Amino acid sequence: EIMYSPATEPEWVELKNMGADSADLKGWQLSNRNSGTRYVIVGVSCSVPPHGYVLITKDTALLGQRHGRLSGVILQAPALPTFLFNNSGDAVAVFDNRSLQMDSLKYAPTWGGNSGTSLERVDLLGLSSDSANWASSVDSMQATPGRENSVAIVDYDVQLMAASAITVPPGITAPLSVTVKNAGRLPVTGFDVAFFDDLNRDSIAASVELVARVSIAQPYARSETLRVSVPWQNPSPGAHG
């Protein structure tokens, strides 16, 4: 996650240790598009636990004022310039103590994350060079430093993408249909799609409001969509939701 266009906080970069072992960041470096100029993140031993987060910024106090108590490892890097990243597009590169590039990206404002909102990575296992793998934070604080990204993909996630509004005469079967999408990282199988009539308009599904349930047995790959349709026999007259 990157805060390259802050409003009331400093610029910062968040890294996550994706390994099964702790990582020592001693001697690691950060740079922008000018990779010939690199800034040491920390000069002493600094261990990040497996799957742990580390935040790198020039001003930890100002960052704390904006986001309160932060989780993970918080590193104040005095060597960093106040403004390292260009709001109109730049690069972020991370090097280990052997000067090997560990990760990098070249971003543009169209990727998201400007005007005080961070740029978040969607899939931590996906390519950092893919613009579709980045998006503006949708968190209420406009960023998620030290915690899971607000736009992060999960392994299993079936989402409702569209539902059709229809009008039928009284006494006629109403065809109900929705489109669902596998928005998760892994193939999904063995899920149900349930249709409810929200009688009391509280937006909470109750068993007495169940109209139909469809069980989906076949697997669906990542990003694959499915249209699910059922007939609603003799719905009562009036509007339904």
Side-chain angles (χ1 to χ4, degrees), residues 13-126:
V13 173
E14 176 195 76
L15 306 178
K16 184 175 183 178
N17 179 8
M18 299 295 291
D21 299 314
S22 295
D24 190 350
L25 300 188
K26 179 181 179 180
W28 282 42
Q29 303 157 64
L30 187 67
S31 78
N32 56 14
R33 65 188 180 281
N34 182 15
S35 60
T37 302
R38 303 174 186 178
Y39 304 92
V40 174
I41 294 172
V42 60
V44 298
S45 181
C46 176
S47 180
V48 181
H51 309 294
Y53 294 96
V54 57
L55 289 168
I56 304 159
T57 183
K58 186 177 180 66
D59 192 336
T60 56
L62 186 59
L63 181 61
Q65 288 178 19
R66 169 68 175 125
H67 293 282
R69 185 176 180 180
L70 296 167
S71 301
V73 178
I74 317 298
L75 289 179
Q76 180 158 302
L80 291 178
T82 301
F83 300 107
L84 178 60
F85 306 119
N86 195 316
N87 293 356
S88 61
D90 210 325
V92 182
V94 181
F95 302 88
D96 68 6
N97 59 357
R98 301 163 296 176
S99 292
L100 296 178
Q101 185 170 286
M102 304 304 292
D103 204 358
S104 67
L105 77 151
K106 292 182 179 179
Y107 65 85
T110 53
W111 289 30
N114 44 50
S115 302
T117 299
S118 72
L119 180 63
E120 293 186 347
R121 195 167 181 164
V122 177
D123 186 351
L124 298 183
L125 301 179

Side-chain angles (χ1 to χ4, degrees), residues 139-220:
D139 189 82
S140 60
M141 291 295 292
Q142 299 178 270
T144 56
R147 51 194 174 95
E148 184 177 60
N149 291 345
S150 63
V151 299
I153 191 173
V154 295
D155 286 345
Y156 301 101
D157 185 12
V158 178
Q159 296 182 0
L160 176 65
M161 303 302 294
S164 300
I166 58 171
T167 301
V168 297
I172 301 299
T173 297
L176 305 179
S177 61
V178 297
T179 299
V180 296
K181 177 182 179 180
N182 178 12
R185 181 183 290 113
L186 301 177
V188 63
T189 187
F191 62 94
D192 289 354
V193 178
F195 295 79
F196 292 86
D197 180 16
D198 191 11
L199 298 172
N200 56 6
R201 301 295 190 269
D202 64 353
S203 299
I204 300 174
S207 58
V208 296
E209 299 173 327
L210 180 66
V211 173
R213 183 185 299 273
V214 179
S215 295
I216 309 299
Q218 64 267 41
Y220 285 87

